Amino acid sequence: MELNELKNKIAKGESEIIEFKKSTGQLERGMESLCAMLNGEGGSVVFGVSDDGKVVGQEVSDSTKRDIASCIREFEPFPLLDIEYVEIPDTKKQIIIITTSNTDDKPFVYKGRPYMRVESTTTTMPQNRYHDLLDHSYRSTTQWERRTNPSLSLSDLDEEEIRRTIRIGVETGRLPEAAFRSDIQTVLSNLELMKDGQITNAAAVLYLKHETSGYPQLLLRMARFLGTDNKIFIDNKQVHGNVFFMLEEAMAFFFRHLNLSGEVKGLYREEKLTVPRVALRECIINALIHREYNTPGGSVGIAIFDDRIEVVNFGQIPLEVDFSSHSPQMISKPNNPVIARSFFYRGTFENWGRGLGLIKSECVEAGLPEPEIFSKNGCVTVVFPFSKESNNQSIVSDSGLNYGLNGQLNGQLNGQLNGQLNESQIETLKYIKTHEGSNTTMIAKGLEKPFRTIDKHIKALLKMDIIERRGSKRTGGYYIKNK
């Protein structure tokens, strides 16, 4: 924006859609006003302009920009904002303009509180107004699962999965026996998954074949990281498919990367994971049922570290829900009731409101801390903490990589660490494993590669903290590093 254009806007004074702040010393109040504008018709907060409309500007440092970014992360859901820095000629000062347009993602909260504009004043939003916006948002979300998709046909759906739902529903008494004798189209219509002969979005979420595209939000991201941060991953997998497929893939990933112990009870052996299987399964089910599917870019994410599991879901926590309670209750109506109903028929979802209480009680009963649950940047995150010692198994990836938690590489190395190792670097790493103590010259000779190439690979592996050099400069060599 040009300075003259900005001055013309400033000359009109403050209103519902524009507010002045002398500097970012009033950043908190400015963010509250921005929240109010997000809940209204949009608008701009201008820093560097006094209340009476005088352009004063301010010096903008990297620290100023970091403070703004930090405050923006306190919004829920995460807003789309336009930030401009307009220089004032012949000075080192600038004017900061943060603008939002009208959006359907209301209501917004800043640091857990909703705000609204009354003419040129920002005030806390009354509870009834907040609930009106929340209900409107809820209707728009649930409306998406009921919408039909003309480009889909019955052949795009997995009939076997639909039949499985019918069979389990009838066996558990949750569906009438007549469902057995009905054709697929009739069943889908009765389950509100087909309307006027067309497939709904809910049906796609539940039963779309894996190879069918058009729903990028049907994505599950899974990673097993080395250590307690996300610098190096050992296994990284993404799957696309319907929710029942994603649930199976999620549980398989947990079994692959969590310690499995057995306890004999009577005639049967009971297998236990580092974190209770029931708690993890319930967490994934709730994520799949309650997430916001109307945004194509969303996904469910699973990250396993040495000391915790994080499950991240695209959505937001209703303000009414108290997650600090030992027996928390979920919102009485799920974001996607049609989708939730099919989970109920499958016997994987018993009734509304029990999920979080079950997750917490399972962890406590297993001697683990209660999971942490929080909402940030438009996502809900559930963290399952555990001790490193309780999950001291080797980690095996689909690519054949086996990496014990003590840092020793075993077996065949065909994967990628941190997404950066190429085939030649992996070959070098394999050689070091099987010929520990070798120096660069020996490795180059053994692999029949140029010395400079191997030297480059060695430097990369050292930088990634995967290998280390032991011994003197003259007689030493390289080893897999113990973590």
Side-chain angles (χ1 to χ4, degrees):
M1 183 182 298
E2 298 292 334
L3 183 58
N4 289 335
E5 181 185 353
L6 176 59
K7 286 182 176 180
N8 289 335
K9 288 189 175 184
I10 293 172
K12 297 178 182 178
E14 293 184 312
S15 66
E16 284 190 27
I17 60 172
I18 190 168
E19 180 162 305
F20 308 144
K21 295 296 179 187
K22 191 173 182 179
S23 73
T24 50
Q26 299 173 291
L27 188 57
E28 288 290 325
R29 296 300 301 273
M31 290 295 145
E32 292 172 2
S33 294
L34 195 63
C35 178
M37 293 172 185
L38 283 162
N39 287 325
E41 301 301 316
S44 301
V45 176
V46 184
F47 295 93
V49 178
S50 60
D51 291 341
D52 59 2
K54 182 179 179 181
V55 175
V56 294
Q58 74 168 75
E59 292 189 3
V60 178
S61 64
D62 289 340
S63 176
T64 305
K65 294 180 179 180
R66 285 196 298 269
D67 289 342
I68 293 173
S70 177
C71 284
I72 292 174
R73 286 194 291 269
E74 297 292 339
F75 282 94
E76 291 184 29
F78 192 74
L80 295 177
L81 303 174
D82 182 36
I83 305 176
E84 294 181 83
Y85 297 90
V86 179
E87 294 184 357
I88 301 176
D90 303 321
T91 72
K92 294 183 178 180
K93 296 183 177 181
Q94 300 180 59
I95 300 170
I96 307 170
I97 312 163
I98 305 179
T99 303
T100 179
S101 57
N102 191 3
T103 173
D104 293 328
D105 293 336
K106 309 176 183 69
F108 287 84
V109 297
Y110 177 68
K111 291 191 173 180
R113 301 189 68 179
Y115 296 89
M116 62 182 290
R117 294 285 281 180
V118 179
E119 295 185 350
S120 61
T121 303
T122 295
T123 183
T124 303
M125 183 180 291
Q127 190 176 44
N128 62 342
R129 171 61 177 161
Y130 173 80
H131 283 294
D132 285 344
L133 289 176
L134 194 64
D135 285 342
H136 180 270
S137 174
Y138 169 77
R139 285 194 298 272
S140 66
T141 301
T142 56
Q143 205 172 29
W144 180 89
E145 69 168 354
R146 296 176 189 273
R147 291 179 196 151
T148 58
N149 185 343
S151 65
L152 290 180
S153 65
L154 285 174
S155 62
D156 294 316
L157 303 184
D158 190 331
E159 184 175 343
E160 184 178 340
E161 282 290 354
I162 299 172
R163 292 292 182 190
R164 186 176 291 114
T165 299
I166 296 170
R167 177 179 56 79
I168 296 173
V170 172
E171 289 175 353
T172 57
R174 296 174 178 181
L175 284 175
E177 289 190 17
F180 264 142
R181 301 185 294 272
S182 301
D183 57 53
I184 293 293
Q185 187 167 343
T186 300
V187 171
L188 292 178
S189 296
N190 291 339
L191 298 183
E192 297 184 75
L193 301 175
M194 191 172 233
K195 183 179 179 182
D196 299 328
Q198 293 188 338
I199 307 296
T200 66
N201 287 325
V205 170
L206 289 161
Y207 302 116
L208 198 67
K209 290 179 180 177
H210 311 326
E211 65 272 14
T212 306
S213 60
Y215 286 85
Q217 60 267 62
L218 295 183
L219 172 64
L220 174 66
R221 298 177 294 107
M222 301 175 285
R224 176 37 165 125
F225 293 98
L226 176 64
T228 58
D229 57 38
N230 61 359
K231 293 180 180 178
I232 299 176
F233 63 74
I234 296 166
D235 196 0
N236 183 34
K237 188 175 183 181
Q238 293 191 3
V239 296
H240 289 82
N242 63 57
V243 287
F244 297 119
F245 175 70
M246 287 193 284
L247 176 59
E248 291 177 1
E249 289 290 313
M251 296 309 298
F253 197 78
F254 287 135
F255 273 91
R256 174 180 295 277
H257 291 296
L258 296 179
N259 191 44
L260 184 65
S261 60
E263 180 180 349
V264 178
K265 290 187 176 182
L267 298 175
Y268 301 97
R269 175 183 173 87
E270 182 178 325
E271 302 288 356
K272 293 184 178 181
L273 290 176
T274 308
V275 175
R277 178 188 63 83
V278 173
L280 294 173
R281 184 177 176 82
E282 189 71 22
C283 181
I284 299 300
I285 289 172
N286 274 276
L288 295 171
I289 288 176
H290 293 286
R291 63 157 297 189
E292 294 179 5
Y293 287 102
N294 55 325
T295 302
S299 65
V300 174
I302 296 172
I304 302 178
F305 301 87
D306 283 5
D307 61 350
R308 69 192 185 281
I309 299 169
E310 295 182 3
V311 178
V312 183
N313 184 35
F314 191 80
Q316 55 184 312
I317 298 175
L319 291 184
E320 307 95 300
V321 180
D322 179 15
F323 288 96
S324 63
S325 169
H326 291 290
S327 301
Q329 293 294 310
M330 285 294 289
I331 189 170
S332 60
K333 51 186 179 181
N335 281 343
N336 307 287
V338 177
I339 294 171
R341 196 179 305 129
S342 282
F343 270 89
F344 174 73
Y345 296 143
R346 288 283 282 258
T348 54
F349 186 62
E350 294 302 323
N351 53 63
W352 319 139
R354 70 184 287 268
L356 287 177
L358 177 62
I359 291 170
K360 289 194 172 188
S361 64
E362 284 286 328
C363 290
V364 171
E365 188 176 333
L368 297 173
E370 287 190 355
E372 304 165 23
I373 304 167
F374 59 90
S375 177
K376 194 170 186 179
N377 296 344
C379 293
V380 177
T381 301
V382 182
V383 181
F384 295 91
F386 54 80
S387 66
K388 293 182 181 180
E389 293 74 18
S390 65
N391 197 50
N392 60 356
Q393 69 168 71
S394 292
I395 304 161
V396 183
S397 76
D398 287 337
S399 58
L401 173 64
N402 185 303
Y403 204 126
L405 293 186
N406 64 357
Q408 292 296 322
L409 280 167
N410 302 296
Q412 187 181 7
L413 276 165
N414 291 321
Q416 284 189 328
L417 291 176
N418 202 29
Q420 295 179 359
L421 291 189
N422 57 41
E423 291 183 7
S424 296
Q425 291 169 330
I426 293 171
E427 188 179 21
T428 303
L429 195 55
K430 288 169 62 178
Y431 190 92
I432 293 173
K433 167 58 188 170
T434 56
H435 300 80
E436 288 194 327
S438 298
N439 59 29
T440 306
T441 301
M442 296 164 64
I443 297 170
K445 184 177 180 180
L447 294 176
E448 298 182 348
K449 300 282 186 180
F451 177 92
R452 292 180 62 182
T453 300
I454 298 302
D455 185 60
K456 183 178 179 181
H457 295 341
I458 292 295
K459 288 177 180 177
L461 296 172
L462 286 169
K463 186 176 181 180
M464 294 177 67
D465 205 27
I466 300 171
I467 63 172
E468 63 182 357
R469 183 181 174 85
R470 301 178 195 168
S472 67
K473 185 176 182 180
R474 182 178 178 183
T475 62
Y478 297 100
Y479 297 78
I480 302 300
K481 188 169 184 179
N482 293 323
K483 296 295 178 180

